């Protein structure tokens, strides 16, 4: 039963797209410490950071589009 559950978890985890990036050793160490403090994996932490950056960018773009429309 446990083996079946483990296989399902591995299958679900591998279905997600993967992205690789390179960074300095300092950034890697900082991410590792940060992820340990939050009880996350580095991968999960990086995903959260990127999701927040994407949301902030979308908000900024929406705001700038709104200003352009107001000027028209």
């Amino acid at each position: 039963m446990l083996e079946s559950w483990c296989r399902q978890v591995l299958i679900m985890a591998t279905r997600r797209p993967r992205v690789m990036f390179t960074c300095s050793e300092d950034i890697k160490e900082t991410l590792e410490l940060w992820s340990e403090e939050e009880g996350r994996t580095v991968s999960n932490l990086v995903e959260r950071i990127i999701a927040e950056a994407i949301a902030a960018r979308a908000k900024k773009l929406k705001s700038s589009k709104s200003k352009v429309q107001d000027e028209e």
Side-chain angles (χ1 to χ4, degrees):
M1 175 120 172
L2 182 60
E3 288 178 23
S4 174
W5 180 82
C6 289
R7 271 189 242 118
Q8 289 175 348
V9 169
L10 288 173
I11 289 169
M12 289 185 331
T14 58
R15 288 187 182 165
R16 297 184 65 188
R18 293 177 180 241
V19 175
M20 187 176 90
F21 76 101
T22 58
C23 62
S24 69
E25 188 65 33
D26 290 343
I27 290 175
K28 179 181 178 277
E29 289 173 6
T30 300
L31 289 171
E32 288 172 340
L33 290 171
W34 186 356
S35 67
E36 285 177 26
E37 290 171 0
E38 294 195 9
R40 302 172 176 268
T41 62
V42 172
S43 178
N44 181 264
L45 174 66
V46 170
E47 181 180 22
R48 184 179 58 90
I49 293 168
I50 292 170
E52 289 175 3
I54 289 170
R57 181 176 186 273
K59 185 176 179 181
K60 181 179 175 183
L61 289 174
K62 184 177 178 182
S63 175
S64 66
K65 284 182 183 180
S66 176
K67 288 178 185 177
V68 169
Q69 289 175 351
D70 289 345
E71 292 173 0
E72 294 175 352

